[in-house]
Amino acid sequence: MTPSHNSPMHDPSSSPATALPLRPQDETACRRCDVHCEKVVYPGACLERACPFVYAYEAWGHTYIGCMQKVYDVEIDLDLLREAESRRAGFGAIRAKRLPLPMCKAEVEQTYSARSEGLGCVNPEFSELPVGQPTFRVFAQIR
């Protein structure tokens, strides 16, 4: 006997998502295929670009920085960040917890790129990142 859709044994959240969301570019992770993509940001670029949303505080003899907009939700030891940024590889990226802002240095990382299908990405709009101000405006005129 198979569980019906109304049965308490049927959990709709365990079914794979088949429909794309209305605005896939606003998501921070995509699991619609076997590749698994995530949006990441570079906190070293926040300091380099003098982002107005970086905050800092001192505790236990160290200075920690974070993002007021919660694009990433970790706080990073400033000395360790600067030390890592002075090396060739840099500090690296961390996973975005919300949509990156236009001033963020952001990318989309693919976890299992070898799993990509021959037809390409099933959710290509996910890779769209914010690029600042819109390039056009729409005005409605009621007559």
Side-chain angles (χ1 to χ4, degrees):
M1 179 174 163
T2 59
S4 71
H5 290 290
N6 296 329
S7 167
M9 292 177 63
H10 177 72
D11 181 10
S13 64
S14 66
S15 304
T18 55
L20 291 176
L22 185 59
R23 294 187 46 82
Q25 64 271 27
D26 291 345
E27 295 183 330
T28 58
C30 180
R31 301 289 187 265
R32 288 184 172 71
C33 68
D34 291 335
V35 176
H36 294 192
C37 297
E38 291 186 341
K39 290 183 180 162
V40 296
V41 292
Y42 292 84
C46 300
L47 298 177
E48 181 183 310
R49 297 175 179 184
C51 178
F53 298 114
V54 171
Y55 68 87
Y57 69 93
E58 290 189 22
W60 306 284
H62 295 274
T63 302
Y64 298 91
I65 66 160
C67 177
M68 284 191 274
Q69 297 295 317
K70 297 296 181 197
V71 172
Y72 56 91
D73 66 352
V74 296
E75 294 174 333
I76 304 165
D77 185 314
L78 181 60
D79 292 333
L80 295 177
L81 175 71
R82 285 185 174 152
E83 181 183 330
E85 284 293 312
S86 68
R87 296 187 195 130
R88 184 174 182 205
F91 182 81
I94 56 177
R95 192 172 90 161
K97 287 295 189 174
R98 64 171 288 225
L99 186 64
L101 302 170
M103 71 277 282
C104 295
K105 180 180 177 186
E107 293 178 348
V108 173
E109 281 193 358
Q110 296 181 339
T111 306
Y112 306 109
S113 56
R115 294 181 181 176
S116 67
E117 298 175 10
L119 296 177
C121 183
V122 297
N123 188 8
E125 289 182 344
F126 174 77
S127 295
E128 292 180 13
L129 294 168
V131 291
Q133 298 288 331
T135 57
F136 63 90
R137 290 186 182 178
V138 176
F139 295 96
Q141 294 183 352
I142 302 172
R143 295 182 188 211

